[in-house]
Amino acid sequence: MQAIMQIFLARNNVQAGPYDLEQLNIMLASGEVLLDDLMWHEGLDQWQRVGTLTNNQTVYRPTNIGSSDVNDSIINNVTIFPEDKASSDQDGKSVSLDRLYGKPERPKDTSKKVKADMTSNRQQTPHNNVSLNKSSIKKTATDKDKVIGNVVLAPIMSRVLATAINGLLYLLAIFPLVMALTNMDVDYSKFQNIQDMDAAYQYSMTLMESLPSSTLMMSQVMVFGLFALQLVFITLRGQSLGKLLTGIRVVDQTTHRLPSFTKLIGVRTLLLFIIYNLLFSFTSFLGFVIIAVHYYMASKSAKNIGWHDKLAKTLVVKADSSQLVKEPKIK
């Protein structure tokens, strides 16, 4: 008996499936699947444009159907829904194209049993969606967790704790400097006049020159060492040391994999570092207020997105090894 082809579709980095060949051709003919959409099935080494595979026709006639085995490394981001899976087992239907491409849900017409009706929608609750790669979600998710596709959103308190750990590590790095300053007669009023920042800077330079060179060098080595270590872990794993210890990670909002270097280091690390350094240089109170605003926004968001995440277009999720696996890019 000939194996049934399992076809996966994607548009704007949103993926779903599998569909069989007959379903695909019906959707092509109806215009629900476009020639500019992407397609993958067993036998293809990467995602390809539908029109390229069909010679820009609205019917697909593959020359070699190949095996029915599914390559999880390529379709790992595909999201299916429990009710769709149950329906597929019963009547051969699959995920609706409306759901796949974000169109409004249409009520299912149960009065007709038409073959072309395989794209009818079913009512669904967003938090019930599961990934083809279910094992990792079952390990990390609890009843209180928010699940988005194949990732579990990091609890707000875990993110707060990660920030607190990073702050504590910074304080430990500058501890020798702090201890040396406590033994000096520091005039803190010099730093309270925001309008005279130049005087505050000159006074701070005078203090630094008064410190023992060994103490200053030790503090600089510890601070720059911590900063370099943080950059290494953020670049390779999407985790600061605080996030590593709390088991959470930054991922791209669309791919649920490590963000690009620009997003991860340029925007979410260096730009935020500059912003908060400026805020804390004016007044520590303002810096803490902006941090509080970020986490307040995240707590009110369906996807726990604060202004850091909006700026970099990222999510903070519970860390899973599958998020570090590189997959063929959707081009």
Side-chain angles (χ1 to χ4, degrees), residues 194-208:
I194 298 178
Q195 296 179 349
D196 195 3
M197 294 301 297
D198 185 61
Y201 176 77
Q202 294 297 330
Y203 183 66
S204 65
M205 290 297 99
T206 301
L207 291 175
M208 292 299 104

Side-chain angles (χ1 to χ4, degrees), residues 80-237:
I80 59 175
F81 299 85
E83 61 271 37
D84 287 319
K85 185 176 186 301
S87 176
S88 179
D89 292 340
Q90 296 172 4
D91 58 17
K93 297 178 182 180
S94 188
V95 182
S96 71
L97 264 291
D98 284 349
R99 184 174 301 173
L100 170 59
Y101 296 137
K103 299 177 184 177
E105 293 287 340
R106 294 173 294 181
K108 183 178 180 181
D109 186 358
T110 57
S111 64
K112 297 181 181 180
K113 295 290 183 179
V114 183
K115 185 67 176 180
D117 190 41
M118 87 311 191
T119 58
S120 295
N121 293 277
R122 307 144 183 84
Q123 297 299 318
Q124 56 98 5
T125 304
H127 66 266
N128 285 335
N129 61 341
V130 296
S131 167
L132 289 178
N133 186 10
K134 303 168 191 171
S135 59
S136 61
I137 290 184
K138 289 181 179 178
K139 291 178 185 177
T140 56
T142 66
D143 292 338
K144 295 181 180 180
D145 284 328
K146 297 178 183 178
V147 178
I148 304 295
N150 60 342
V151 296
V152 182
L153 296 180
I156 299 299
M157 289 311 299
S158 294
R159 297 174 62 175
V160 173
L161 179 59
T163 300
I165 291 173
N166 286 330
L168 179 60
L169 290 173
Y170 176 75
L171 290 177
L172 290 175
I174 64 172
F175 183 74
L177 181 63
V178 173
M179 291 302 297
L181 289 173
T182 57
N183 296 324
M184 299 176 62
D185 186 17
V186 179
D187 183 5
Y188 291 101
S189 64
K190 297 282 188 180
F191 301 100
Q192 295 175 355
N193 188 359
I194 298 178
Q195 296 179 349
D196 195 3
M197 294 301 297
D198 185 61
Y201 176 77
Q202 294 297 330
Y203 183 66
S204 65
M205 290 297 99
T206 301
L207 291 175
M208 292 299 104
E209 292 172 358
S210 303
L211 291 172
S213 59
S214 58
T215 300
L216 190 59
M217 181 176 295
M218 181 186 299
S219 181
Q220 289 174 339
V221 168
M222 292 178 67
V223 169
F224 284 108
L226 174 62
F227 188 68
L229 193 60
Q230 293 277 37
L231 284 180
V232 169
F233 276 94
I234 291 171
T235 302
L236 298 180
R237 302 183 59 85

Side-chain angles (χ1 to χ4, degrees), residues 19-35:
Y19 304 95
D20 61 35
L21 181 60
E22 185 177 359
Q23 290 173 331
L24 172 66
N25 283 329
I26 291 173
M27 292 186 287
L28 276 169
S30 67
E32 291 183 273
V33 172
L34 306 177
L35 296 180

